[in-house]
């Protein structure tokens, strides 16, 4: 996902732009650049690779300007190189543009612009915007922007400077998030709050189809017709400390270690007098008694939470549940109606496919509820109800603490629905809540398996085919463990329902294969032992994750990770801990860029 930063004030913009770009690195990128004013012209410097490279380039050029825009690019159209890096200038250098999103009709627009004599330098859709701004310019940059926006189809948040209007930054938001802030040093605009929090906690959130003119002393908002809009800033209580590693080598490690605390925060937020309480979600008993089907819809790790939720909600609330990958849900014409509840799970609240799934559900009359980590994000704002996880900003691209907080919300929600349907008595709910209240302590104990995970990572680092297997609620955890390993260590691995392995894939098991068997779900433990024997007989090196009172039973395993005993329904939260640490240490051994894995973005705001 691309990152936008802009500054205008009485100080040199360049250090602010570089700091802002540094805060946006976690979103994932492959090139970067800035544009500033210099001697009445726009000066643009950009490069492929990291911000450090850009910074060295800027030092050589000794750039200084009170206004500028910057960008980190996650390539969608055109290779990740300096030619395609943002910002993109218009033909005569009248405009410079940074963009997050996709212009879906860029090809037809480009064809017309070329016929009108415009010469393009890059392969990007963004350069089309810069040329259109120039073509539409007749003395007012804001008017040119309004006209240009009316020609664009797709998703975009834009930061623009105009040579004839120094000191101003022109912005617009359509589907891709954009925020702004007024600070003592000047005014800022950015793709998300992490880039603004070091300067101000009073944040303006753009809505779709809103324009803004950012000036040193003021920020003015307009609708597409040019009417001024009065906005008030939201005060965000995220401390900027989340942007510090606080002694950890990588943000991912810090965030793994934060899990006991943030899970406790999340669970406590929804307890009242020993009962589960979701005050501000309009999902009361009557609504739930009319609910005939629940869809849990998400992407990536959040989808793995959705799968866990399916098992748990069906087990506890007896309502048919489906877990859907958002990019599939939105195109398979699911049967939705007013008796359907669609639950969207998303850390960022900006994932394009999850947002599209939400909008589909609403269009079809379904009730919508979202589980989101980022306050005021688009999915949070557009859902009928929202339950916030309290993970705090998650900087590492590979999610850990947000995933675990989503699981905690699912545990609460399953019991809440069950209680509303009179399937969970008050006594049973209090017992459930009491066990959930000690989950953070169990996770602290699970974190003590780090030395084992580190030892195991030395074996994994040399392996060619790695399998994660599990049954029931251990299966989605196996999927999450596999994703963690793949996305940060670039090692190929696969998650499989343990009972399914013998229906084909077991043919891949040979001497040297590593099979990580998740065995904490008691109801299927004996079956897991059989699966361990099956793969062991074919030469696999078997790692067994077991509850502490079962470790003797996991005979035949080559490596055992014993985990604290816990209420079985909550075992996913315990089992994922060594798998997160395993992924982390394997990536570390391989020298990977753990917080910013190649090709990945923190939130995929493009389809
Ligand atoms: C997981 O480590 C990834 N960061 C990715 O799979 C992520 O979970 C997915 O893109 C969904 O993001 P969201 O929760 O912000 O919607």
């Amino acid at each position: 996902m691309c990152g936008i930063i802009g500054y205008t004030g009485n100080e040199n913009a360049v250090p602010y732009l570089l700091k802002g770009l540094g805060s946006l690195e976690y979103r994932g990128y492959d090139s970067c650049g800035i544009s500033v004013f210099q001697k009445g012209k726009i000066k643009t410097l950009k490069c492929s690779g990291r911000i450090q490279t850009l910074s060295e380039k800027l030092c050589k050029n000794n750039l200084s300007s009170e206004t500028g825009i910057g960008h980190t690019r996650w390539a969608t159209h055109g290779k990740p190189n300096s030619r395609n890096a943002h910002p993109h200038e218009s033909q005569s250098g009248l405009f410079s543009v940074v963009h997050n999103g996709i212009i879906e009709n860029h090809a037809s627009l480009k064809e017309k612009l070329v016929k009108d004599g415009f010469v393009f330098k890059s392969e990007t859709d963004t350069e089309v915007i810069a040329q259109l701004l120039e073509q539409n310019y007749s003395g007012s940059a804001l008017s040119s922007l309004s006209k240009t926006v009316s020609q664009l189809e797709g998703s975009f948040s834009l930061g623009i400077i105009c040579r004839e209007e120094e000191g101003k930054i022109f912005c617009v938001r359509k589907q891709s998030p954009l925020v702004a802030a007024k600070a003592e040093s000047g005014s800022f605009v950015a793709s998300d709050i992490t880039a603004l929090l070091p300067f101000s906690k009073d944040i303006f959130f753009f809505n779709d189809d809103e324009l803004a003119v950012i000036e040193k002393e003021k920020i003015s908002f307009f609708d597409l017709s040019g009417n001024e809009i009065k906005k008030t800033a939201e005060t965000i209580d995220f401390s900027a400390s989340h942007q510090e590693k606080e002694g950890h080598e990588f943000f991912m490690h810090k965030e793994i270690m934060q899990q006991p605390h943030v899970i406790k925060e999340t669970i406590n937020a929804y307890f009242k007098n020993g009962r589960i309480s979701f005050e501000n979600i309009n999902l009361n008993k009557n609504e739930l008694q009319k609910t005939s089907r629940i869809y849990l819809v998400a992407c990536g790790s959040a989808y793995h939470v959705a799968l866990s939720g399916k098992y748990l909600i069906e087990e506890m609330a007896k309502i048919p549940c489906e877990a859907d990958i958002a990019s599939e849900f939105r195109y398979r014409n699911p049967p939705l109606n007013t008796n359907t509840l669609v639950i969207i799970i998303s850390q960022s609240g900006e994932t394009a496919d999850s947002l599209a799934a939400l909008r589909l559900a609403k269009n079809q009359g379904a009730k919508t509820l979202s589980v989101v980590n980022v306050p005021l994000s688009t999915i949070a704002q557009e859902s009928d109800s929202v339950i916030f996880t309290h993970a705090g900003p998650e900087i590492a691209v590979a999610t850990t603490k947000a995933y675990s907080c989503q699981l905690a919300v699912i545990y609460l929600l399953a019991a809440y629905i069950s209680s509303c349907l009179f399937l969970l008595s008050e006594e049973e709910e209090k017992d459930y809540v009491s066990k959930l209240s000690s989950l953070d302590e169990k996770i602290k104990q699970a974190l003590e398996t780090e030395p084992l995970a580190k030892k195991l990572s030395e074996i994994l680092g040399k392996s060619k085919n790695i399998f994660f297997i599990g049954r029931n609620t251990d299966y989605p955890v196996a999927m999450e463990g596999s994703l963690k390993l793949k996305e940060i260590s670039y090692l190929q691995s696969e998650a499989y329902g343990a009972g399914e392995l013998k229906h084909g894939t077991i043919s891949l098991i040979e001497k040297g294969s590593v099979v990580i068997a998740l065995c904490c779900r008691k109801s299927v433990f004996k079956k897991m032992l059989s699966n361990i024997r099956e793969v062991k007989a074919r030469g696999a090196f078997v790692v067994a994750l077991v509850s502490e009172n079962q470790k003797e039973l996991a005979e035949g395993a080559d490596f055992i990770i014993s985990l604290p005993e816990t209420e079985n329904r909550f075992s996913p939260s315990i089992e994922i801990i060594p798998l997160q640490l395993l992924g982390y240490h394997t990536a570390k051994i391989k020298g990977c860029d753990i917080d910013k894995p190649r090709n990945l973005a923190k939130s995929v705001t493009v389809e």
Side-chain angles (χ1 to χ4, degrees), residues 299-302 345-349 351 397-399 406 483-484 487 604:
C299 300
S301 294
I345 303 172
S346 175
Q347 186 285 129
S348 63
T351 299
V397 167
T399 184
Q406 290 165 354
L483 177 60
K484 284 284 120 0
E487 66 178 325
V604 184

Side-chain angles (χ1 to χ4, degrees), residues 250-260 262-263 301-302 305 347 373 389 391-408 443 447 480 484 487-488 572-573 576-577 579-584 594-595 602:
F250 292 97
F251 280 109
M252 183 179 177
H253 194 267
K254 173 186 167 188
E255 290 159 3
I256 288 172
M257 295 303 160
Q258 284 178 326
Q259 290 181 113
V262 295
I263 286 166
S301 294
V305 173
Q347 186 285 129
N373 192 46
T389 49
E394 189 174 61
I395 304 301
V397 167
T399 184
T400 51
K401 62 175 185 173
Y403 163 88
S404 292
C405 288
Q406 290 165 354
L407 275 180
I443 291 173
L447 287 169
E480 177 60 12
K484 284 284 120 0
E487 66 178 325
I488 60 175
S573 299
I576 193 58
I577 299 300
L579 301 185
Q580 291 170 345
L581 291 164
L582 180 59
Y584 172 81
I594 292 174
D595 288 332
K602 181 61 182 170

